[in-house]
């Protein structure tokens, strides 16, 4: 049903005089998922969820604890329950497919606490692949403003499931994932703060969402949130004796969780439930729970494939700063033209021109340049309110000349704003910074939030910061600028509503490969967790995996084969994809680089061919507006043999297939650059047998003849 909206309302009225109300239930459109809601004898809201008749979430209580008296936890009565059905098909500005169906059944429970005349409602939406629910607070006389002390949303598990998780840190998501039973989580959580030793930044019993689990009988359960606006990010505290998760919000500097004004509502709490791992990857529940696009004109928003002056610093040890020669008393200098440069600064006119030439030659639309602006000599670790002004370039970066040169080649420069986590400083410079971008023709910015948040005591994932991130996106829209925010809150589907939020980092990306390494199974977990809320700027494409060859001071290698680095452009979905290696390495591996040049970044259709959390993922995607397909496979620590039916191809058509696969002896431990490229003609009847080594994978381009 294209662009149609269908609502069928049936309203059930119940006693308004405090009489007991039996459990109410609502099921998904296909009948497989059922939510039951009831009040306990003491008026405590309670829900439970079943899947195909089997209990998945045991009876779990709901409630909001206020910082004042009269908390919204119990003594409720139900005033009214209404149900409805909704069915639409909408078109994303960019995405994994050109159309998305949004089909659910809804139950809306209106409740009152007679003892104080306050009202709290609960809205449940049940899809074929999961459930979303949230608290809603209508405008009311006895609750105009309130402060949330804690949110007591439970998720009671039915068994000791296998889980893929990272600690519930309030300031970073940049952890490797751990696979364990639920009962093992507490023992495996960090015993000390890793991101910021001066603060307690996570609960000792907490994990972050999106949390992926699998039951022993093969049901996949994912807990996350959607539409995180004007509220704190949710973590999950685990009672490992009873296997019950309870929501843990990110506190502000005063220890409160949220400041609210009615009418208002919380974000959606989401539970995806399927019996095939591929269905988690195909789920659009998080996007569907967000509001439609708020922009009338989206013609200026577009996918981007880019390169950048970045890996030279991340992997090659070169400095972001123009000089390291400044005495400490001169760190506040304002005229860098009078300071001797260090001679190693990659963001210089000649080097940036080389990147522009490379982009133009190989079909990349933008070039990111980090380290272009003054302030990098003293930007980190000193908790300074003012570091960058986001408009003043170093002497060796001619902002006008370089942008003119890029535009003459059909390329744009991509802006970089490292805020150093000084939020007040960034906001007071934001208008000038965006105006400068307009002046020189930038249309995208990569922003960063490294360090302890200023104002001090606030956290990266608290209500105040979440409002800031969205403010930057909506202000950017006024300037027709796209935003790629690093170190920001993990996405919750807001890119549907604000599609100029074209990317986020918000997880442990490729940069960690240069100094710490990622587990080989990392990219077989992220699509089930971090990517459920939106695309990730993972920065793949590092073809030279031996870090000693990149920087003689580094003696480890990237935990990935070269072939898998190609596959990540398909499996790690993003409309913003970086070819992250340096141009010299792409010249060295020019035959493999061809896939990066060819692969699309926007799609009409996606097929999830194989998937098992932490083991392997194989995805096929059809490039937007073409008949061409691309396939990617990423594998964990155990090699994988694929038997791929190409029945997703158009019947009767022939395709020129180029297969970039691991060599027989390739693995993330050794022989990373051993790859084999083969060419053949295929059809929808072709079956391919392909090998992926440990920490490896393969990539395939399929061009219609």
């Amino acid at each position: 049903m294209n662009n149609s909206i269908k609502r069928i309302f049936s309203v059930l009225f119940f006693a308004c005089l405090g009489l007991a109300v039996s459990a109410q239930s609502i099921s998904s459109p296909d009948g497989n998922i059922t939510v039951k809601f009831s009040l306990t004898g003491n008026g405590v809201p309670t829900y439970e969820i079943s899947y195909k008749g089997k209990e998945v979430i045991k009876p779990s209580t709901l409630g909001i604890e206020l910082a004042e008296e009269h908390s919204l936890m119990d003594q409720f009565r139900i005033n009214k329950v209404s149900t409805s059905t909704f069915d639409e098909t909408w078109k994303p500005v960019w995405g994994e497919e050109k159309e998305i169906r949004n089909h659910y059944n809804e139950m809306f429970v209106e409740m009152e606490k007679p003892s104080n005349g306050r009202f709290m409602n609960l809205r449940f939406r049940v899809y074929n692949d999961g459930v979303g629910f949230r608290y809603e607070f209508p405008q009311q006389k006895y609750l105009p403003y309130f402060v949330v002390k804690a949110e007591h949303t439970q998720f009671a598990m039915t068994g000791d499931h296998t889980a893929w998780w990272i600690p519930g840190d309030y300031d970073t998501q940049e952890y490797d994932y751990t696979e364990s039973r639920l009962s093992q989580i507490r023992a495996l959580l960090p015993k000390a703060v890793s991101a910021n030793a001066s603060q307690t930044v996570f609960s000792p019993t907490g994990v972050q969402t999106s949390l992926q689990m699998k039951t022993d009988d093969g049901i996949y359960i994912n807990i996350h949130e959607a539409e995180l606006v004007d509220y704190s990010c949710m973590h999950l505290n685990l009672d490992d004796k009873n296997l019950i998760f309870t929501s843990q919000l990110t506190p502000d500097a005063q220890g409160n969780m949220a400041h609210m004004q009615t009418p208002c509502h919380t974000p959606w709490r989401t539970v995806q439930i399927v019996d095939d791992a591929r269905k988690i990857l195909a789920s659009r529940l998080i996007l569907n729970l967000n509001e439609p696009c708020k922009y009338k004109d989206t013609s200026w928003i577009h996918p981007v494939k880019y390169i950048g002056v970045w890996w030279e610093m991340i992997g090659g040890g070169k400095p972001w700063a123009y000089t390291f020669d400044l005495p400490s008393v001169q760190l506040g200098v304002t005229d860098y033209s009078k300071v001797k440069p260090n001679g190693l600064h990659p963001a210089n006119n000649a080097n940036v021109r080389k990147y522009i030439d490379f982009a133009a030659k190989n079909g990349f639309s933008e070039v990111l340049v980090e380290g272009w602006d003054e302030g990098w000599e003293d930007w980190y670790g000193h908790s300074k309110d003012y570091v960058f002004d986001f408009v003043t370039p170093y002497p060796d970066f001619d902002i006008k000349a370089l942008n003119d040169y890029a535009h003459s080649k059909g390329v744009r420069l991509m802006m970089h704003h490292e805020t150093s986590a000084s939020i007040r400083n960034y906001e007071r410079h934001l208008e000038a910074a965006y105006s400068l971008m307009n002046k020189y023709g930038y249309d995208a910015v990569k922003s960063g939030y490294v360090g302890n948040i200023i104002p001090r005591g606030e956290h990266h994932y608290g209500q105040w910061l979440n409002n800031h991130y969205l403010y930057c996106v909506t202000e950017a829209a006024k300037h027709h600028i796209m935003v790629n925010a690093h170190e920001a809150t993990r996405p919750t589907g807001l890119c549907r509503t604000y599609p100029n939020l074209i990317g986020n980092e918000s997880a442990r990306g490729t940069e960690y490969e240069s100094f710490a390494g990622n587990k080989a199974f990392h990219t077989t977990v992220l699509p089930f967790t971090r990517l459920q809320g939106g695309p990730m700027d993972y920065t793949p494409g590092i073809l030279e995996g031996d870090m000693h060859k990149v920087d003689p001071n580094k003696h480890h290698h990237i935990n990935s084969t070269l072939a898998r680095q190609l596959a990540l452009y398909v499996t790690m979905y993003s409309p913003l994809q970086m070819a992250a290696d340096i141009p010299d390495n792409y010249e060295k591996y020019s035959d493999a680089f061809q896939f990066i040049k060819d692969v699309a970044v926007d799609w009409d259709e996606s097929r999830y061919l194989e998937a098992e959390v932490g083991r392997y993922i194989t995805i096929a995607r059809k490039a937007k507006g073409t008949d061409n397909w691309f396939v990617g496979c990423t594998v964990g620590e155990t090699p994988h043999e694929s038997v791929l039916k190409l029945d997703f191809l158009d019947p009767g058509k022939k395709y020129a297939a180029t297969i970039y696969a691991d060599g027989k002896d390739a693995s993330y431990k050794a022989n990373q650059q051993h790859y084999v490229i083969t060419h053949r003609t295929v059809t929808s009847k072709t079956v391919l047998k392909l090998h992926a080594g440990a920490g490896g994978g393969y990539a395939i381009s399929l061009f219609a003849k």
Side-chain angles (χ1 to χ4, degrees):
M1 185 182 302
N2 294 328
N3 296 323
S4 64
I5 298 178
K6 180 182 179 183
R7 285 192 180 272
I8 306 171
F9 289 101
S10 62
V11 180
L12 304 173
F13 292 91
F14 296 94
C16 296
L17 299 176
L19 300 178
V21 180
S22 60
Q24 305 302 311
S25 65
I26 190 164
S27 297
S28 56
D30 65 5
N32 287 335
I33 298 176
T34 298
V35 176
K36 291 183 179 180
F37 175 81
S38 62
L39 296 180
T40 67
N42 196 32
V44 177
T46 304
Y47 79 102
E48 56 189 292
I49 304 176
S50 62
Y51 176 69
K52 294 184 177 180
K54 183 178 296 185
E55 189 175 49
V56 174
I57 302 294
K58 297 193 297 184
S60 303
T61 59
L62 303 167
I64 300 291
E65 182 180 354
L66 306 183
E68 55 173 286
E69 295 180 0
H70 312 303
S71 291
L72 302 173
M73 298 285 294
D74 56 13
Q75 300 178 11
F76 282 104
R77 71 181 182 192
I78 295 176
N79 285 343
K80 183 170 70 174
V81 176
S82 56
T83 62
S84 64
T85 294
F86 184 81
D87 194 359
E88 70 169 352
T89 299
W90 58 278
K91 295 183 178 181
V93 175
W94 43 260
E96 298 179 72
E97 55 269 299
K98 63 182 178 181
E99 293 183 339
I100 295 175
R101 189 180 185 188
N102 185 15
H103 186 199
Y104 60 81
N105 291 332
E106 180 176 285
M107 178 168 62
F108 185 51
V109 183
E110 299 178 54
M111 300 184 299
E112 179 183 359
K113 189 166 183 175
S115 62
N116 56 29
R118 291 178 170 180
F119 300 90
M120 183 177 78
N121 305 327
L122 288 163
R123 189 181 301 272
F124 295 87
R125 290 181 179 173
V126 189
Y127 293 78
N128 291 341
D129 54 2
V131 177
F133 62 90
R134 72 184 184 190
Y135 303 86
E136 298 186 6
F137 307 91
Q139 190 168 357
Q140 52 193 286
K141 180 178 180 181
Y142 299 111
L143 194 67
Y145 302 92
F146 62 98
V147 177
V148 176
K149 181 178 180 180
E151 179 189 312
H152 295 270
T153 301
Q154 287 188 347
F155 304 87
M157 299 294 103
T158 59
D160 194 11
H161 309 326
T162 301
W164 291 263
W165 57 272
I166 56 177
D169 196 311
Y170 299 147
D171 283 300
T172 184
Q173 292 123 195
E174 296 180 358
Y175 289 92
D176 255 332
Y177 278 85
T178 297
E179 177 183 331
S180 76
R181 293 288 185 169
L182 296 179
S183 60
Q184 298 171 314
I185 289 177
R186 182 188 294 267
L188 294 172
L189 279 166
K191 298 300 187 294
V193 176
S194 62
N196 178 359
S198 66
Q199 299 181 41
T200 300
V201 297
F202 61 82
S203 165
T205 62
V207 297
Q208 296 193 37
T209 66
S210 169
L211 173 67
Q212 181 63 54
M213 293 172 283
K214 182 182 180 182
T215 70
D216 288 342
D217 53 358
I219 296 176
Y220 298 84
I221 305 169
N222 187 292
I223 300 176
H224 194 27
E225 61 182 324
E227 197 184 24
L228 175 54
V229 176
D230 197 23
Y231 204 72
S232 291
C233 183
M234 181 182 74
H235 299 67
L236 298 170
N237 280 344
L238 175 62
D239 172 355
D240 57 350
K241 303 298 183 184
N242 298 299
L243 302 179
I244 298 174
F245 287 106
T246 302
S247 57
Q248 168 62 56
L249 303 182
T250 304
D252 65 15
Q254 297 176 317
N256 294 313
M257 306 303 167
H259 295 255
M260 311 289 282
Q261 177 182 351
T262 58
C264 59
H265 57 76
T266 69
W268 297 94
R269 280 59 188 100
T270 64
V271 185
Q272 292 160 283
I273 308 165
V274 298
D275 55 11
D276 185 330
R278 295 175 297 174
K279 294 179 181 179
I280 291 287
L281 302 180
S283 175
R284 302 295 175 255
L285 184 146
I286 305 295
L287 286 176
N288 279 330
L289 286 168
N290 280 264
E291 294 183 6
C293 178
K294 287 188 176 293
Y295 307 143
K296 292 182 179 179
D297 174 24
T298 60
S299 61
W300 51 277
I301 301 172
H302 58 89
V304 176
K305 193 191 295 185
Y306 72 106
I307 61 172
V309 180
W310 179 72
W311 193 245
E312 291 180 66
M313 295 91 92
I314 291 288
K318 294 182 180 179
W320 280 261
Y322 175 70
T323 177
F324 287 143
D325 297 337
L326 292 174
S328 59
V329 295
Q330 286 187 302
L331 285 174
V333 297
T334 58
D335 187 356
Y336 280 85
S337 65
K338 297 179 180 179
V339 177
K340 181 181 178 181
N342 57 37
L344 300 173
H345 182 228
N348 65 72
N349 294 322
N351 194 43
V352 173
R353 280 188 170 88
K354 290 179 182 179
Y355 276 81
I356 293 169
D357 291 341
F358 184 84
K361 175 184 175 182
N362 292 287
F364 293 89
S365 60
E366 303 205 7
V367 176
L368 168 73
V369 183
E370 296 199 13
W372 71 276
D373 55 335
E374 292 184 358
W376 288 93
E377 283 78 8
D378 192 34
W379 74 282
Y380 179 73
H382 302 295
S383 190
K384 292 174 63 177
D385 185 44
Y386 178 87
V387 178
F388 301 102
D389 68 7
F390 312 100
V391 298
T392 305
Y394 280 124
D396 59 348
F397 187 88
D398 188 329
I399 189 169
K400 182 181 186 305
L402 287 171
N403 278 284
D404 287 347
Y405 184 73
H407 296 164
S408 74
K409 297 278 188 173
V411 174
R412 290 179 184 266
L413 294 188
M414 182 181 292
M415 178 55 72
H416 182 240
H417 291 162
E418 176 49 65
T419 69
S420 65
S422 181
I423 307 309
R424 294 179 299 187
N425 180 59
Y426 190 40
E427 288 189 351
R428 64 175 168 249
H429 287 97
L430 198 60
E431 177 61 27
Y434 285 164
S435 295
L436 180 82
M437 291 178 63
N438 290 155
K439 178 179 179 180
Y440 292 113
Y442 292 89
D443 68 353
V445 59
K446 174 184 175 182
S447 56
Y449 293 88
V450 176
N452 298 338
I453 295 296
I454 301 174
R456 296 168 181 85
E458 297 294 339
H459 293 293
H460 281 73
Y461 313 142
Q463 180 183 28
W464 197 83
L465 265 296
N466 289 328
N467 289 345
H468 163 80
Y469 302 136
L470 186 54
Y471 172 74
C472 292
V473 170
T474 55
E475 289 299 300
K478 298 175 183 177
H479 293 263
H480 285 190
I481 290 171
M482 299 177 291
V483 176
N484 167 30
H486 283 224
E487 294 87 34
T489 300
R490 50 196 173 275
T492 58
L494 286 173
C495 56
R496 177 189 180 185
T497 312
Y498 308 97
N500 65 316
L501 180 56
I502 197 172
N504 284 106
E505 181 196 36
S506 305
R508 187 165 169 140
T510 298
E511 65 180 353
Y512 271 79
E513 297 279 15
S514 74
F515 54 85
N518 293 331
K519 292 179 182 177
F521 84 157
H522 192 57
T523 56
T524 68
V525 176
L526 284 172
F528 291 96
T529 54
R530 159 63 184 79
L531 271 73
Q532 286 300 301
M536 180 178 178
D537 185 28
Y538 188 74
T539 60
I542 304 300
L543 303 189
E544 183 54 80
D546 186 345
M547 294 310 300
H548 187 262
K549 292 181 180 179
V550 179
D551 182 348
N553 296 316
K554 297 179 179 179
H555 298 280
H556 69 279
H557 62 254
I558 291 173
N559 290 327
S560 168
T561 67
L562 183 150
R564 180 168 79 169
Q565 287 294 308
L566 306 182
L568 296 179
Y569 288 92
V570 180
T571 63
M572 294 290 293
Y573 168 68
S574 179
L576 179 79
Q577 290 283 19
M578 184 183 194
D581 213 334
I582 61 175
D584 287 351
N585 287 335
Y586 290 133
E587 297 287 356
K588 179 179 179 180
Y589 301 102
S590 59
D591 55 352
F593 180 52
Q594 186 63 46
F595 181 84
I596 298 177
K597 295 197 300 182
D598 289 340
V599 69
V601 290
D602 200 16
W603 310 100
D604 274 343
E605 186 178 351
S606 294
R607 298 287 186 92
Y608 304 91
L609 307 179
E610 303 176 297
E612 190 58 60
V613 191
R615 306 297 183 265
Y616 52 83
I617 295 172
T618 306
I619 301 174
R621 303 191 194 271
K622 187 178 184 182
K624 180 65 68 71
T626 77
D627 291 324
N628 304 326
W629 288 79
F630 296 87
V631 179
C633 172
T634 178
V635 170
E637 283 80 354
T638 304
H640 178 66
E641 307 298 326
S642 294
V643 179
L644 291 187
K645 296 180 180 180
L646 303 187
D647 52 6
F648 53 84
L649 299 176
D650 289 342
K653 282 188 178 181
K654 293 182 177 181
Y655 294 79
T658 303
I659 303 169
Y660 305 79
D662 287 332
K664 291 184 179 179
D665 59 349
S667 79
Y668 74 97
K669 294 181 178 180
N671 303 315
Q672 298 163 280
Q673 276 67 44
H674 286 204
Y675 61 95
V676 178
I677 300 176
T678 57
H679 304 272
R680 59 179 293 185
T681 298
V682 299
T683 69
S684 61
K685 297 181 179 180
T686 301
V687 177
L688 298 177
K689 296 182 179 181
L690 297 170
H691 167 77
Y698 54 80
I700 309 171
S701 61
L702 297 154
F703 289 97
K705 290 188 174 183

